[in-house]
Structures are given as structure tokens and as C-alpha cells.
Coordinates of all heavy atoms in Angstrom, one line a residue:
M1 N 39.2 -43.7 -14.1 CA 38.6 -43.1 -15.2 C 38.9 -41.6 -15.1 O 38.7 -40.9 -14.1 CB 37.1 -43.3 -15.1 CG 36.4 -42.7 -16.3 SD 34.7 -43.3 -16.3 CE 33.9 -41.8 -16.5
R2 N 39.4 -41.0 -16.1 CA 39.8 -39.6 -16.2 C 39.0 -38.9 -17.2 O 38.8 -39.4 -18.3 CB 41.3 -39.6 -16.5 CG 41.8 -38.2 -16.4 CD 43.3 -38.2 -16.6 NE 43.6 -36.8 -16.8 CZ 44.6 -36.2 -16.4 NH1 45.5 -36.9 -15.7 NH2 44.9 -35.0 -16.6
L3 N 38.5 -37.7 -16.8 CA 37.8 -36.9 -17.8 C 38.7 -36.1 -18.7 O 39.7 -35.5 -18.2 CB 36.8 -35.9 -17.0 CG 35.7 -36.5 -16.2 CD1 35.0 -35.5 -15.4 CD2 34.8 -37.3 -17.1
D4 N 38.3 -36.0 -19.9 CA 39.1 -35.2 -20.8 C 38.7 -33.7 -20.6 O 37.6 -33.3 -20.6 CB 38.7 -35.6 -22.3 CG 39.5 -34.9 -23.3 OD1 40.6 -34.4 -23.0 OD2 39.0 -34.9 -24.5
P5 N 39.8 -32.8 -20.4 CA 39.5 -31.4 -20.1 C 38.7 -30.7 -21.2 O 38.0 -29.8 -21.0 CB 40.9 -30.8 -20.0 CG 41.8 -32.0 -19.8 CD 41.2 -33.2 -20.3
D6 N 38.9 -31.2 -22.5 CA 38.2 -30.6 -23.6 C 36.7 -30.8 -23.4 O 35.8 -30.0 -23.7 CB 38.7 -31.1 -24.9 CG 40.1 -30.6 -25.2 OD1 40.5 -29.5 -24.7 OD2 40.8 -31.2 -26.0
L7 N 36.3 -32.1 -23.0 CA 34.9 -32.4 -22.8 C 34.3 -31.6 -21.7 O 33.1 -31.2 -21.7 CB 34.7 -33.9 -22.5 CG 34.9 -34.8 -23.7 CD1 34.8 -36.2 -23.3 CD2 33.8 -34.5 -24.8
V8 N 35.1 -31.4 -20.6 CA 34.6 -30.6 -19.5 C 34.3 -29.2 -19.9 O 33.2 -28.6 -19.6 CB 35.6 -30.6 -18.3 CG1 35.2 -29.6 -17.2 CG2 35.8 -32.0 -17.7
V9 N 35.2 -28.6 -20.7 CA 35.0 -27.2 -21.2 C 33.8 -27.2 -22.1 O 32.9 -26.2 -22.1 CB 36.2 -26.7 -22.0 CG1 36.0 -25.4 -22.7 CG2 37.4 -26.6 -21.0
I10 N 33.6 -28.1 -23.0 CA 32.4 -28.2 -23.9 C 31.1 -28.3 -23.1 O 30.2 -27.5 -23.4 CB 32.6 -29.3 -24.9 CG1 33.7 -29.0 -25.9 CG2 31.3 -29.6 -25.7 CD1 34.1 -30.2 -26.8
F11 N 31.1 -29.2 -22.2 CA 29.8 -29.4 -21.4 C 29.5 -28.1 -20.5 O 28.4 -27.7 -20.4 CB 29.9 -30.6 -20.6 CG 29.6 -31.9 -21.4 CD1 30.6 -32.9 -21.4 CD2 28.5 -32.0 -22.2 CE1 30.4 -34.0 -22.1 CE2 28.3 -33.2 -22.9 CZ 29.3 -34.2 -22.9
A12 N 30.6 -27.5 -20.0 CA 30.4 -26.3 -19.2 C 29.9 -25.2 -20.0 O 29.0 -24.4 -19.6 CB 31.7 -25.9 -18.5
G13 N 30.4 -25.1 -21.2 CA 30.0 -24.1 -22.2 C 28.5 -24.2 -22.6 O 27.7 -23.3 -22.7
I14 N 28.1 -25.5 -22.8 CA 26.7 -25.8 -23.1 C 25.8 -25.4 -22.0 O 24.7 -24.8 -22.1 CB 26.5 -27.2 -23.5 CG1 27.2 -27.5 -24.9 CG2 25.1 -27.6 -23.6 CD1 27.3 -29.0 -25.3
A15 N 26.2 -25.7 -20.8 CA 25.4 -25.4 -19.6 C 25.3 -23.9 -19.4 O 24.2 -23.4 -19.1 CB 26.0 -26.1 -18.3
V16 N 26.4 -23.2 -19.5 CA 26.4 -21.8 -19.3 C 25.5 -21.1 -20.4 O 24.7 -20.2 -20.1 CB 27.8 -21.2 -19.3 CG1 27.8 -19.7 -19.4 CG2 28.5 -21.6 -18.0
T17 N 25.6 -21.6 -21.6 CA 24.9 -21.0 -22.7 C 23.4 -21.2 -22.5 O 22.5 -20.3 -22.7 CB 25.3 -21.6 -24.1 OG1 26.7 -21.4 -24.2 CG2 24.5 -21.0 -25.2
T18 N 23.0 -22.4 -22.1 CA 21.6 -22.7 -21.8 C 21.0 -21.9 -20.7 O 19.9 -21.3 -20.8 CB 21.4 -24.2 -21.5 OG1 22.0 -25.0 -22.6 CG2 20.0 -24.6 -21.3
I19 N 21.7 -21.8 -19.6 CA 21.3 -21.0 -18.5 C 21.2 -19.5 -18.8 O 20.3 -18.8 -18.5 CB 22.1 -21.3 -17.2 CG1 21.9 -22.7 -16.8 CG2 21.8 -20.3 -16.1 CD1 22.9 -23.2 -15.7
G20 N 22.3 -19.1 -19.5 CA 22.3 -17.7 -19.9 C 21.2 -17.3 -20.9 O 20.6 -16.2 -20.8
Y21 N 20.8 -18.2 -21.7 CA 19.7 -18.0 -22.7 C 18.4 -17.8 -21.9 O 17.6 -16.9 -22.2 CB 19.6 -19.1 -23.7 CG 18.4 -19.0 -24.6 CD1 18.4 -18.0 -25.6 CD2 17.3 -19.8 -24.5 CE1 17.3 -17.9 -26.5 CE2 16.2 -19.7 -25.3 CZ 16.3 -18.7 -26.3 OH 15.2 -18.6 -27.1
Q22 N 18.2 -18.6 -20.9 CA 17.0 -18.6 -20.1 C 16.9 -17.3 -19.3 O 15.8 -16.6 -19.2 CB 16.8 -19.8 -19.2 CG 16.7 -21.1 -19.9 CD 15.5 -21.1 -20.8 OE1 14.4 -20.6 -20.4 NE2 15.6 -21.8 -21.9
I23 N 18.0 -16.8 -18.8 CA 18.1 -15.6 -18.0 C 17.8 -14.4 -19.0 O 17.1 -13.5 -18.6 CB 19.4 -15.4 -17.3 CG1 19.5 -16.5 -16.2 CG2 19.6 -14.0 -16.8 CD1 20.9 -16.5 -15.5
A24 N 18.4 -14.4 -20.1 CA 18.2 -13.4 -21.1 C 16.7 -13.3 -21.5 O 16.1 -12.2 -21.7 CB 19.1 -13.6 -22.3
R25 N 16.1 -14.5 -21.7 CA 14.6 -14.5 -22.1 C 13.8 -13.9 -21.0 O 12.8 -13.1 -21.2 CB 14.2 -15.9 -22.3 CG 14.5 -16.4 -23.7 CD 13.9 -17.7 -24.0 NE 12.4 -17.7 -23.7 CZ 11.7 -18.8 -23.6 NH1 12.3 -20.0 -23.7 NH2 10.4 -18.8 -23.3
A26 N 14.1 -14.2 -19.7 CA 13.4 -13.6 -18.6 C 13.5 -12.1 -18.5 O 12.5 -11.4 -18.3 CB 13.8 -14.3 -17.3
I27 N 14.7 -11.6 -18.7 CA 15.0 -10.2 -18.7 C 14.2 -9.5 -19.8 O 13.6 -8.4 -19.7 CB 16.5 -9.9 -18.7 CG1 17.1 -10.3 -17.4 CG2 16.7 -8.4 -19.0 CD1 18.6 -10.3 -17.4
R28 N 14.3 -10.1 -21.0 CA 13.6 -9.5 -22.2 C 12.1 -9.5 -22.0 O 11.4 -8.5 -22.3 CB 13.9 -10.3 -23.4 CG 13.3 -9.6 -24.7 CD 13.5 -10.5 -25.9 NE 12.6 -11.6 -25.7 CZ 12.6 -12.7 -26.4 NH1 13.6 -12.9 -27.4 NH2 11.8 -13.7 -26.2
G29 N 11.6 -10.5 -21.3 CA 10.1 -10.5 -21.1 C 9.7 -9.4 -20.1 O 8.6 -8.8 -20.3
R30 N 10.5 -9.1 -19.2 CA 10.2 -8.1 -18.2 C 10.3 -6.7 -18.9 O 9.6 -5.8 -18.5 CB 11.1 -8.1 -17.0 CG 10.7 -9.3 -16.1 CD 11.4 -9.2 -14.8 NE 11.1 -10.4 -14.0 CZ 10.6 -10.3 -12.8 NH1 10.4 -9.1 -12.3 NH2 10.2 -11.4 -12.2
L31 N 11.2 -6.5 -19.8 CA 11.4 -5.3 -20.4 C 10.4 -5.0 -21.5 O 10.1 -3.8 -21.8 CB 12.8 -5.2 -21.1 CG 14.0 -5.1 -20.1 CD1 15.3 -5.1 -20.9 CD2 13.9 -3.9 -19.2
E32 N 9.8 -6.0 -22.1 CA 8.9 -5.8 -23.2 C 7.5 -6.1 -22.8 O 6.7 -6.7 -23.5 CB 9.3 -6.8 -24.3 CG 10.6 -6.5 -25.0 CD 10.9 -7.4 -26.1 OE1 10.2 -8.4 -26.3 OE2 11.9 -7.2 -26.8
R33 N 7.1 -5.6 -21.6 CA 5.7 -5.8 -21.2 C 4.8 -4.9 -22.0 O 5.2 -3.8 -22.4 CB 5.5 -5.4 -19.7 CG 6.2 -6.4 -18.8 CD 5.9 -6.2 -17.4 NE 6.6 -7.2 -16.7 CZ 6.4 -7.4 -15.4 NH1 5.6 -6.8 -14.7 NH2 7.1 -8.3 -14.8
P34 N 3.6 -5.4 -22.4 CA 2.8 -4.6 -23.2 C 2.2 -3.4 -22.5 O 1.9 -3.5 -21.3 CB 1.6 -5.6 -23.6 CG 1.6 -6.6 -22.5 CD 3.1 -6.7 -22.1
S35 N 2.1 -2.3 -23.2 CA 1.6 -1.1 -22.6 C 0.0 -1.1 -22.6 O -0.5 -1.9 -23.4 CB 2.1 0.2 -23.3 OG 1.7 0.1 -24.6
L36 N -0.6 -0.3 -21.8 CA -2.0 -0.3 -21.8 C -2.6 0.5 -22.9 O -2.0 1.5 -23.4 CB -2.5 0.4 -20.5 CG -2.1 -0.3 -19.2 CD1 -2.5 0.5 -18.0 CD2 -2.7 -1.7 -19.1
S37 N -3.8 0.1 -23.4 CA -4.4 0.8 -24.5 C -5.1 2.0 -23.9 O -5.2 2.2 -22.7 CB -5.5 -0.1 -25.2 OG -6.5 -0.4 -24.3
R38 N -5.6 2.9 -24.8 CA -6.3 4.1 -24.4 C -7.5 3.8 -23.5 O -7.8 4.5 -22.6 CB -6.7 4.9 -25.6 CG -5.5 5.6 -26.3 CD -6.0 6.6 -27.3 NE -4.9 7.2 -28.1 CZ -4.2 8.2 -27.7 NH1 -4.5 8.8 -26.6 NH2 -3.2 8.7 -28.5
S39 N -8.3 2.8 -23.9 CA -9.5 2.5 -23.1 C -9.1 2.0 -21.8 O -9.8 2.3 -20.8 CB -10.4 1.5 -23.9 OG -9.7 0.2 -24.0
E40 N -8.1 1.2 -21.7 CA -7.6 0.7 -20.4 C -7.1 1.8 -19.5 O -7.4 1.9 -18.3 CB -6.5 -0.4 -20.5 CG -7.1 -1.7 -21.1 CD -6.0 -2.6 -21.5 OE1 -4.8 -2.2 -21.8 OE2 -6.2 -3.8 -21.5
L41 N -6.4 2.8 -20.1 CA -5.9 3.9 -19.4 C -7.1 4.8 -18.9 O -7.1 5.3 -17.8 CB -5.0 4.8 -20.3 CG -3.6 4.2 -20.5 CD1 -2.8 5.1 -21.5 CD2 -2.8 4.1 -19.2
A42 N -8.1 4.9 -19.7 CA -9.3 5.7 -19.3 C -10.0 5.0 -18.1 O -10.5 5.7 -17.2 CB -10.2 5.9 -20.5
D43 N -10.0 3.7 -18.2 CA -10.7 2.9 -17.1 C -9.9 3.1 -15.8 O -10.5 3.3 -14.7 CB -10.8 1.4 -17.5 CG -11.6 0.6 -16.6 OD1 -12.6 1.2 -16.1 OD2 -11.3 -0.5 -16.3
V44 N -8.6 3.0 -15.9 CA -7.7 3.2 -14.7 C -7.9 4.6 -14.2 O -8.0 4.8 -12.9 CB -6.2 2.9 -15.1 CG1 -5.3 3.4 -13.9 CG2 -6.0 1.4 -15.3
K45 N -8.0 5.6 -15.1 CA -8.2 7.0 -14.6 C -9.5 7.1 -13.9 O -9.6 7.8 -12.8 CB -8.1 7.9 -15.8 CG -8.3 9.4 -15.5 CD -8.2 10.3 -16.7 CE -8.4 11.7 -16.3 NZ -8.4 12.6 -17.5
H46 N -10.5 6.5 -14.4 CA -11.9 6.5 -13.8 C -11.8 5.9 -12.4 O -12.4 6.5 -11.4 CB -12.9 5.8 -14.7 CG -14.2 5.7 -14.0 ND1 -15.0 6.8 -13.9 CD2 -14.9 4.7 -13.6 CE1 -16.2 6.5 -13.3 NE2 -16.1 5.1 -13.1
H47 N -11.1 4.8 -12.3 CA -11.0 4.1 -10.9 C -10.2 5.0 -10.0 O -10.6 5.1 -8.8 CB -10.4 2.8 -11.1 CG -11.3 1.7 -11.7 ND1 -12.4 1.3 -11.0 CD2 -11.2 1.1 -12.9 CE1 -13.0 0.4 -11.8 NE2 -12.3 0.2 -12.9
L48 N -9.2 5.6 -10.4 CA -8.4 6.5 -9.6 C -9.2 7.7 -9.1 O -9.1 8.2 -8.0 CB -7.1 7.0 -10.3 CG -6.0 5.9 -10.4 CD1 -4.9 6.4 -11.2 CD2 -5.6 5.4 -9.1
E49 N -10.0 8.3 -10.0 CA -10.9 9.4 -9.6 C -11.9 9.0 -8.5 O -12.1 9.7 -7.6 CB -11.6 9.9 -10.8 CG -10.7 10.7 -11.8 CD -11.4 11.1 -13.1 OE1 -12.6 10.7 -13.3 OE2 -10.8 11.8 -13.9
R50 N -12.5 7.8 -8.7 CA -13.4 7.3 -7.7 C -12.7 7.0 -6.3 O -13.2 7.3 -5.3 CB -14.1 6.0 -8.2 CG -15.1 6.3 -9.2 CD -15.9 5.0 -9.7 NE -15.9 3.9 -8.7 CZ -16.1 2.7 -9.0 NH1 -16.1 2.3 -10.3 NH2 -16.1 1.7 -8.1
L51 N -11.5 6.5 -6.4 CA -10.7 6.3 -5.2 C -10.4 7.6 -4.5 O -10.5 7.7 -3.3 CB -9.4 5.5 -5.5 CG -8.5 5.2 -4.4 CD1 -9.2 4.3 -3.4 CD2 -7.2 4.6 -4.9
E52 N -10.0 8.6 -5.3 CA -9.8 9.9 -4.7 C -11.0 10.5 -4.0 O -10.9 11.1 -2.9 CB -9.3 10.9 -5.8 CG -8.9 12.3 -5.3 CD -8.4 13.2 -6.5 OE1 -8.4 12.7 -7.6 OE2 -8.0 14.3 -6.2
Q53 N -12.2 10.4 -4.6 CA -13.4 10.9 -4.0 C -13.7 10.1 -2.7 O -14.1 10.7 -1.7 CB -14.6 10.7 -5.0 CG -14.5 11.7 -6.2 CD -15.6 11.3 -7.2 OE1 -16.3 10.4 -7.1 NE2 -15.6 12.2 -8.2
A54 N -13.4 8.8 -2.7 CA -13.7 8.1 -1.5 C -12.7 8.5 -0.4 O -13.2 8.6 0.8 CB -13.5 6.6 -1.8
V55 N -11.5 8.7 -0.7 CA -10.5 9.2 0.3 C -10.9 10.5 0.8 O -10.8 10.8 2.0 CB -9.1 9.2 -0.3 CG1 -8.1 9.9 0.6 CG2 -8.6 7.7 -0.5
D56 N -11.4 11.4 -0.1 CA -11.8 12.7 0.4 C -13.0 12.7 1.3 O -13.0 13.4 2.4 CB -12.2 13.6 -0.8 CG -10.9 14.1 -1.6 OD1 -9.8 14.0 -1.0 OD2 -11.1 14.5 -2.8
S57 N -14.0 11.8 1.0 CA -15.1 11.7 1.9 C -14.7 11.0 3.2 O -15.3 11.4 4.3 CB -16.2 10.9 1.2 OG -15.8 9.5 1.0
I58 N -13.8 10.1 3.2 CA -13.3 9.5 4.5 C -12.6 10.6 5.3 O -12.8 10.7 6.5 CB -12.4 8.3 4.2 CG1 -13.2 7.2 3.6 CG2 -11.6 7.9 5.5 CD1 -12.4 6.0 3.1
A59 N -11.9 11.5 4.7 CA -11.2 12.5 5.4 C -12.2 13.5 6.1 O -12.0 13.9 7.2 CB -10.3 13.3 4.5
V60 N -13.3 13.8 5.4 CA -14.3 14.7 6.0 C -14.9 14.0 7.2 O -15.1 14.6 8.2 CB -15.3 15.0 4.9 CG1 -16.6 15.6 5.5 CG2 -14.8 15.9 3.8
E61 N -15.2 12.7 7.1 CA -15.8 12.0 8.2 C -14.9 11.9 9.4 O -15.3 12.0 10.5 CB -16.3 10.6 7.8 CG -17.4 10.6 6.8 CD -18.7 11.2 7.5 OE1 -19.0 10.9 8.6 OE2 -19.3 12.0 6.8
V62 N -13.6 11.7 9.1 CA -12.6 11.6 10.2 C -12.5 12.9 10.9 O -12.4 13.0 12.1 CB -11.2 11.1 9.7 CG1 -10.1 11.3 10.7 CG2 -11.3 9.7 9.3
E63 N -12.5 14.0 10.1 CA -12.5 15.4 10.7 C -13.7 15.6 11.6 O -13.7 16.2 12.7 CB -12.4 16.4 9.7 CG -12.3 17.8 10.2 CD -11.1 18.1 11.1 OE1 -10.1 17.5 10.9 OE2 -11.2 18.9 12.0
R64 N -14.9 15.1 11.1 CA -16.1 15.3 11.9 C -16.0 14.5 13.2 O -16.4 15.0 14.3 CB -17.3 14.8 11.1 CG -18.7 15.0 11.7 CD -19.8 14.4 10.9 NE -19.7 13.0 10.8 CZ -20.1 12.1 11.7 NH1 -20.6 12.6 12.9 NH2 -20.0 10.8 11.6
I65 N -15.5 13.3 13.2 CA -15.3 12.5 14.4 C -14.4 13.1 15.3 O -14.6 13.2 16.5 CB -14.9 11.1 14.0 CG1 -16.0 10.3 13.2 CG2 -14.4 10.3 15.2 CD1 -15.6 9.0 12.6
S66 N -13.3 13.7 14.8 CA -12.3 14.3 15.7 C -12.9 15.6 16.3 O -12.5 15.9 17.5 CB -11.0 14.6 14.9 OG -11.2 15.6 13.9
E67 N -13.7 16.3 15.6 CA -14.4 17.5 16.2 C -15.3 17.0 17.4 O -15.3 17.6 18.5 CB -15.2 18.2 15.2 CG -14.5 19.1 14.2 CD -13.8 20.3 14.9 OE1 -14.4 20.8 15.9 OE2 -12.7 20.7 14.5
G68 N -16.0 15.9 17.2 CA -16.8 15.4 18.3 C -16.0 14.9 19.5 O -16.4 15.2 20.6
Q69 N -14.8 14.4 19.2 CA -13.9 13.9 20.3 C -13.4 15.1 21.0 O -13.3 15.1 22.3 CB -12.8 13.1 19.7 CG -11.8 12.6 20.7 CD -12.4 11.5 21.6 OE1 -13.3 10.8 21.2 NE2 -12.0 11.5 22.8
R70 N -13.0 16.2 20.3 CA -12.5 17.4 21.0 C -13.6 18.0 21.9 O -13.4 18.4 23.0 CB -12.0 18.4 20.0 CG -10.7 18.1 19.4 CD -10.1 19.2 18.7 NE -10.7 19.4 17.4 CZ -10.3 18.8 16.2 NH1 -9.3 18.0 16.3 NH2 -11.0 19.0 15.1
F71 N -14.9 18.0 21.4 CA -16.0 18.6 22.1 C -16.2 17.8 23.4 O -16.4 18.3 24.5 CB -17.2 18.6 21.3 CG -18.4 19.2 22.0 CD1 -18.5 20.5 22.3 CD2 -19.5 18.3 22.3 CE1 -19.7 21.0 22.9 CE2 -20.6 18.8 23.0 CZ -20.7 20.1 23.3
T72 N -16.2 16.5 23.3 CA -16.5 15.6 24.4 C -15.4 15.7 25.4 O -15.6 15.8 26.6 CB -16.6 14.1 23.9 OG1 -17.6 14.0 23.0 CG2 -16.8 13.2 25.1
T73 N -14.1 15.8 25.0 CA -13.0 16.0 25.9 C -13.1 17.3 26.6 O -12.8 17.4 27.8 CB -11.7 15.9 25.1 OG1 -11.6 14.7 24.4 CG2 -10.5 16.1 26.0
K74 N -13.5 18.4 25.9 CA -13.7 19.7 26.5 C -14.8 19.6 27.6 O -14.6 20.1 28.7 CB -14.0 20.7 25.5 CG -14.2 22.1 26.0 CD -14.6 23.1 24.9 CE -15.0 24.4 25.5 NZ -15.6 25.3 24.5
L75 N -15.9 19.0 27.3 CA -17.0 18.9 28.3 C -16.5 18.1 29.5 O -16.8 18.5 30.7 CB -18.2 18.2 27.7 CG -19.0 19.0 26.7 CD1 -20.2 18.2 26.2 CD2 -19.5 20.3 27.3
L76 N -15.8 17.0 29.3 CA -15.4 16.2 30.4 C -14.3 16.9 31.3 O -14.3 16.8 32.5 CB -14.8 14.9 29.9 CG -15.8 13.9 29.4 CD1 -15.1 12.6 28.8 CD2 -16.8 13.4 30.5
S77 N -13.5 17.7 30.6 CA -12.5 18.4 31.4 C -13.1 19.5 32.2 O -12.7 19.8 33.4 CB -11.4 18.9 30.5 OG -11.9 19.9 29.7
E78 N -14.1 20.2 31.6 CA -14.8 21.2 32.4 C -15.6 20.6 33.6 O -15.6 21.2 34.7 CB -15.8 22.0 31.5 CG -15.1 22.9 30.5 CD -16.1 23.5 29.5 OE1 -17.3 23.2 29.5 OE2 -15.6 24.3 28.6
R79 N -16.2 19.5 33.3 CA -17.0 18.8 34.4 C -16.0 18.4 35.5 O -16.3 18.5 36.7 CB -17.7 17.6 33.8 CG -18.5 16.9 34.8 CD -19.3 15.8 34.2 NE -20.0 15.0 35.2 CZ -20.6 13.9 35.0 NH1 -20.7 13.4 33.7 NH2 -21.2 13.3 35.9
S80 N -14.9 17.9 35.1 CA -13.9 17.5 36.1 C -13.4 18.7 36.9 O -13.3 18.6 38.1 CB -12.7 16.8 35.4 OG -11.7 16.5 36.3
A81 N -13.1 19.8 36.2 CA -12.7 21.0 36.9 C -13.7 21.5 37.9 O -13.4 21.9 39.0 CB -12.3 22.0 35.9
D82 N -15.0 21.5 37.5 CA -16.1 21.9 38.4 C -16.2 21.0 39.6 O -16.4 21.5 40.7 CB -17.4 22.0 37.6 CG -17.4 23.1 36.5 OD1 -16.6 24.0 36.6 OD2 -18.3 23.0 35.6
S83 N -16.1 19.7 39.4 CA -16.2 18.8 40.5 C -15.1 19.0 41.5 O -15.3 18.9 42.7 CB -16.2 17.3 40.0 OG -17.3 17.1 39.2
V84 N -13.9 19.2 41.0 CA -12.7 19.4 41.9 C -12.9 20.7 42.7 O -12.6 20.8 43.8 CB -11.4 19.4 41.1 CG1 -10.2 19.9 41.9 CG2 -11.1 18.0 40.5
A85 N -13.4 21.7 42.0 CA -13.6 23.0 42.7 C -14.7 22.9 43.8 O -14.6 23.6 44.8 CB -14.1 24.1 41.7
E86 N -15.7 22.0 43.6 CA -16.7 21.8 44.6 C -16.3 20.8 45.6 O -17.0 20.5 46.6 CB -18.0 21.3 43.9 CG -18.6 22.4 43.0 CD -19.8 21.8 42.2 OE1 -20.2 20.6 42.4 OE2 -20.4 22.6 41.4
G87 N -15.2 20.1 45.5 CA -14.7 19.2 46.4 C -15.2 17.8 46.2 O -15.1 16.9 47.1
K88 N -15.9 17.5 45.1 CA -16.4 16.2 44.8 C -15.4 15.4 43.9 O -14.7 16.0 43.2 CB -17.7 16.3 44.0 CG -18.8 17.0 44.8 CD -20.0 17.1 43.8 CE -21.1 17.9 44.5 NZ -22.3 18.2 43.6
P89 N -15.5 14.1 44.0 CA -14.6 13.3 43.1 C -15.1 13.5 41.7 O -16.3 13.6 41.4 CB -14.9 11.8 43.6 CG -15.5 11.9 44.9 CD -16.2 13.3 45.0
P90 N -14.2 13.6 40.8 CA -14.6 13.8 39.4 C -15.2 12.6 38.7 O -15.0 11.5 39.2 CB -13.3 14.1 38.7 CG -12.2 13.6 39.5 CD -12.7 13.6 40.9
F91 N -16.1 12.8 37.8 CA -16.8 11.8 36.9 C -17.8 11.0 37.7 O -18.1 9.9 37.2 CB -15.8 10.9 36.2 CG -14.8 11.7 35.4 CD1 -13.5 11.8 35.7 CD2 -15.2 12.4 34.2 CE1 -12.6 12.5 34.9 CE2 -14.3 13.1 33.5 CZ -13.0 13.2 33.8
L92 N -18.3 11.4 38.8 CA -19.3 10.7 39.5 C -20.7 11.4 39.1 O -20.7 12.6 39.0 CB -19.2 10.7 41.0 CG -18.0 9.8 41.5 CD1 -17.9 9.9 43.0 CD2 -18.2 8.4 41.1
K93 N -21.7 10.6 39.0 CA -23.0 11.2 38.7 C -23.5 12.0 39.9 O -23.3 11.6 41.0 CB -24.0 10.1 38.4 CG -23.7 9.3 37.1 CD -24.8 8.3 36.9 CE -24.5 7.6 35.6 NZ -25.5 6.6 35.2
P94 N -24.1 13.2 39.6 CA -24.6 14.0 40.7 C -25.8 13.4 41.4 O -26.5 12.6 41.0 CB -25.0 15.3 40.0 CG -24.9 15.1 38.6 CD -24.3 13.8 38.3

């Protein structure tokens, strides 16, 4: 049984056309996404403002924690230096 070359070309053309049409529809769907309305944009803006305020408050708290860490480190290093100067092992209770 031998295939007619004209039929192979016709069926290949149909297949390519069908697949190409589906690909074109997918691309068009991505390009034509609906834009947001004014109320939706205002809602997004409101959420972004709240997010910005939350990030700012977290930054303040992190800075406060780091100040406490620096203070604790300073106290421990001074205590260690005093213990070494007195000939005691550092970080032991007096």
C-alpha cells in the first residue's frame, strides 16, 4: 500500500493549520487580557499602601531589636574583658 504524496501534503497542511490556529488563539488571549477598572486600581493602591506601612513598621522593630543586640553584645564584651583582667574565666557567675 502506497500513500499518495498529494494526500500527505493535504493532511499535513490541515494538521499545521489546526495547530497553528490554536497557538494563535493562545497568543491572542495573552495579549488581550482585560485591564483593571478604576475601582480595582484604587483597591490595589490601598492594599499596596497598607503593605508599605506594614513593611515600615517591621523595619522599625528590626532596628529596635538590633539596637538591643548591640547593647547586649557590648555588655558581654565588657564583662568578658573585666573578667580576663581580673584573671577569672569569662562568663561565669560571680
